Each structure stands twice: as structure tokens, then as C-alpha cells.
Amino acid sequence: MIPWNPLKKTRQETPEGRRSMDALVDEWRTGESTQAERLSPGARHRIVSEALRPTSARRAMPALSSPFLPFSRWALGAAVPAVILAVVLGIWAEPRRQGGLAVADADTRIQVSKEGGEVVFLIANGKPSHQVYKSDAPYGFRSSSPQQTRDGRYRDGLDGGPELVFYRIE
Amino acid sequence: MDDTDPSDESLVASALDGDAAALDRLISRHDAKVLRVLRLLGVPVGDREDVAQEVFIRVFRHLKGFRKGNPFSGWIYRIAVNAAHDHRHRLSRRRRRESEWEEGLDQTPDAAPGPAEQADRRRRIEWMEQALEGLSPRERAVFVLCELEGLDSPEAGRALRISAVTVRRHLARARARLQEMLAPVEKKSSDD
């Protein structure tokens, strides 16, 4: 039994209010039937492809000692990719953190952020440039062509969709 | 049902055998419903397709757990409500919701095409959808499923994992609260 709280305001519908709400809901239903939002063909294809993927190939997570980083496009499709940072911080088990930076060792820093429609890697370890390999499988980098970083930055577009994308930075 | 319109159960059985066409058919049968529920539960338009994909992938990955005899749509509703809640939780610090609310408030009936009565009706509907933001997540989910999606209390209760009595209590509160929020809009409509 819910105890009575004299301070709690009890909201009740008035008869007129009930009629008004019923009419509004009816109007909504009438309008809704003519303007249904649907999934794009590309989205449907991605769903079916993902659903039919063998279980072993789904969202394969690399070992913590692996030198590459998996990122979910969905997490990047959101605001600040806290999930990605958590993955970066988890894989690079560093003794110290500064702000949002993941410190792999005393000299290597990797920061991931979302800027507009792109994910941006900021890489700093004293080297003037880096090569970034991209793959949709954790061990499929041999077939991908590396991209050179510019000013310590690597940018990749966010195409949306559910697949994981793996990056290897050298 | 005949072969041209297989039941959800039949499509689920085919999908479990790896039938891509059955999966696609399930998607086409339920995607409008999922997108509508996500919209009504506050998932922004830019994220909606991604979240809808997440819903269907969750559904298909757990297809083996679907119990025959239960309505398939009820199961999809449950996953869609949870996905919307998870997504909004991730976005809880974003300011875009507030700007969308403000943009909605700035829309004027004169901007809408068609007769004045049609524009007035559209404005009330838009206000109602925006007013859903003022409900608690549970009240909102109950109102959406019961009033707008047409589920009865037991069905909504199964989707939300609450009792039918609790559904009715939340629904009564949701309706009363919406009436309070919409009263000024209704009054303005009658004055115009």
C-alpha cells in the first residue's frame, strides 16, 4: 500500500481535459498514418548483414596487449566519445592520466575526439609523423593502405552504422 | 495466414535458419513503429536511424530467446524503449535537446502550409510531442505505448516489465500532467 503523502499534489484529469486529450490523441493518430518514417535501404542492409554474421566474428575484441584500438562508430556518433576514451584508457594501462589524454608510456599520448562529422586522433610521441592503418577486422591491416598523419592528427569520417572500426597507429 | 503474409512467428523461425529475406521482412514490418517510438521517446532525428539499427540488431541477436505465443511487436517495443532510454542517458549532458525544444516553441502556425484549421491541428500535435519531454521517462514510455501505439495495459506492462496496475497509474499521471502543460495551448487555440 502506498502511504498517503499530504504534500504530494494529486493530478487528476477533468472531464473536459479528458475529452480534449482524447481528441488530441485521435488527431495525432490520423496525422501519423500519413507520414511514417522508415529505415533507409542501407540501414536495412547493415542490420541484416550484422544479424547474419557468425557469432565468432561479431564485435571481436582484441587482447589488451594488441597494438591497435577498436572503436564503435555508434559511440563516435554520439557526443564526446566517452566509450572510446574508456577503451583507450583501458588498453593503454598507463600509470598517469592528464585530462582526457591516455598516456601509454612517458612519451606517447593519444587523444580521440569528435569534431563535426569526423573522429580526430591526436598522436604525440616525439615522432614527426605516423602511419595509421584502418580495418573492419582486428587482424586485417595487411590489405589496408596506411594514411599519413598531418601535424600529429589523423581524421576519419563518421559514416554511421553499427560496425566496429579498428585502427593501428605506427 | 497465407504464404503472402507470413506471421511474425513464421518469419522468426525462418530468420533463425539464416533467411535474410525473412529478416528484411521483419524489419520492413516493424521499422516505422521503432522509429516512431524512438522519436516520441526523445531520440534526436540525427541519431534515430543509428539507434533503430541498434534495436533491430539486439532483437535479431536474441531471437532465440523470443517466446512463441508472445507478440513479437511487444518484444520490439521493450527493446526500443530500453535503447531510447540508454541513448538519452548517454546524451543527458547535451544541450541540443534544449535547443530543439526552443526551436519547436518558435514555430508559428503561419509557417505551416494548408488551411488554418489544419495548421492549428499540426501545432497542437507538435506541442503534444514536445510536451512529452515534461514527463518522467516511465510516464512517457507508458503514454507512448498505450495512448499513441495502442497497447493495452497488460501489453504495455510486459514491454516495460511492470504490472498492468502500475501502467494505468502512470498513464493517469501522464495524461493529467500533459493536460496541465497543454492547457495554455488549447486556450490560445480557442481564443484565435
Side-chain angles (χ1 to χ4, degrees), chain B residues 50-123:
Chain B
D50 278 352
V51 179
Q53 289 180 75
E54 186 179 329
V55 169
F56 279 105
I57 289 174
R58 281 192 206 178
V59 166
F60 294 147
R61 282 188 177 169
H62 297 93
L63 217 50
K64 287 181 183 174
F66 170 64
R67 293 179 195 169
K68 287 182 184 179
N70 286 341
F72 185 70
S73 57
W75 193 39
I76 285 189
Y77 277 128
R78 178 192 300 173
I79 294 175
V81 169
N82 288 340
H85 175 75
D86 291 345
H87 187 75
R88 283 174 61 88
H89 192 67
R90 286 195 294 266
L91 300 183
S92 62
R93 293 179 180 274
R94 289 183 69 175
R95 298 178 59 84
R96 193 168 77 182
R97 280 205 321 270
E98 294 163 323
S99 64
E100 281 177 349
W101 168 263
E102 289 163 5
E103 286 166 12
L105 292 176
D106 289 338
Q107 287 177 3
T108 61
D110 292 342
E117 186 181 323
Q118 191 175 345
D120 195 42
R121 185 185 311 132
R122 193 174 296 117
R123 183 182 65 177

Side-chain angles (χ1 to χ4, degrees), chain A residues 11 13 17-18 20-22 25 27-29 32 37-40 44 46 50 74 161-162, chain B residues 24 28 31-32 35-36 39 48-50 53 61 121 124 129 147-148 175 178-180 186:
Chain A
R11 292 186 172 90
E13 287 187 271
R18 187 176 300 123
S20 177
M21 179 61 66
D22 289 343
V25 169
E27 284 179 359
W28 181 89
R29 286 179 179 169
E32 192 62 26
E37 195 179 343
R38 306 301 297 267
L39 280 174
S40 65
R44 288 162 62 146
R46 280 191 288 271
E50 182 66 24
W74 274 334
Chain B
D24 191 67
S28 65
D31 65 338
L35 286 164
R36 184 172 60 238
R39 183 186 94 230
R48 211 170 288 149
E49 187 162 87
D50 278 352
Q53 289 180 75
R61 282 188 177 169
R121 185 185 311 132
R124 289 202 301 275
E129 291 199 8
E147 292 287 353
L148 306 183
R175 285 179 59 104
L178 283 172
Q179 282 176 34
E180 284 179 15
E186 294 289 310

Side-chain angles (χ1 to χ4, degrees), chain B:
Chain B
M1 285 191 181
D2 58 26
D3 289 339
T4 60
D5 192 17
S7 66
D8 282 344
E9 272 190 25
S10 169
L11 289 174
V12 166
S14 299
L16 284 169
D17 287 336
D19 185 344
L23 284 168
D24 191 67
R25 196 146 185 187
L26 282 169
I27 295 170
S28 65
R29 193 174 279 183
H30 297 284
D31 65 338
K33 171 188 303 154
V34 168
L35 286 164
R36 184 172 60 238
V37 167
L38 293 178
R39 183 186 94 230
L40 293 169
L41 293 179
V43 176
V45 60
D47 301 333
R48 211 170 288 149
E49 187 162 87
D50 278 352
V51 179
Q53 289 180 75
E54 186 179 329
V55 169
F56 279 105
I57 289 174
R58 281 192 206 178
V59 166
F60 294 147
R61 282 188 177 169
H62 297 93
L63 217 50
K64 287 181 183 174
F66 170 64
R67 293 179 195 169
K68 287 182 184 179
N70 286 341
F72 185 70
S73 57
W75 193 39
I76 285 189
Y77 277 128
R78 178 192 300 173
I79 294 175
V81 169
N82 288 340
H85 175 75
D86 291 345
H87 187 75
R88 283 174 61 88
H89 192 67
R90 286 195 294 266
L91 300 183
S92 62
R93 293 179 180 274
R94 289 183 69 175
R95 298 178 59 84
R96 193 168 77 182
R97 280 205 321 270
E98 294 163 323
S99 64
E100 281 177 349
W101 168 263
E102 289 163 5
E103 286 166 12
L105 292 176
D106 289 338
Q107 287 177 3
T108 61
D110 292 342
E117 186 181 323
Q118 191 175 345
D120 195 42
R121 185 185 311 132
R122 193 174 296 117
R123 183 182 65 177
R124 289 202 301 275
I125 289 172
E126 286 169 356
W127 268 93
M128 185 187 79
E129 291 199 8
Q130 290 163 8
L132 294 176
E133 284 284 330
L135 301 177
S136 71
R138 183 55 58 84
E139 289 170 354
R140 184 174 189 171
V142 165
F143 184 85
V144 167
L145 292 183
C146 292
E147 292 287 353
L148 306 183
E149 293 296 309
L151 271 64
D152 59 25
S153 301
E155 287 174 326
R158 277 193 293 273
L160 298 174
R161 295 193 172 176
I162 54 178
S163 69
V165 171
T166 305
V167 167
R168 286 192 285 273
R169 190 167 69 232
H170 283 306
L171 182 59
R173 276 208 295 263
R175 285 179 59 104
R177 196 181 281 193
L178 283 172
Q179 282 176 34
E180 284 179 15
M181 288 190 278
L182 292 169
V185 179
E186 294 289 310
K187 185 177 185 309
K188 187 177 187 307
S189 294
S190 61
D191 289 347
D192 286 346

Side-chain angles (χ1 to χ4, degrees), chain A residues 12 41 50 64 119 135 143 145 160:
Chain A
Q12 286 186 341
E50 182 66 24
L64 289 179
V119 58
S135 171
S143 58
S145 301

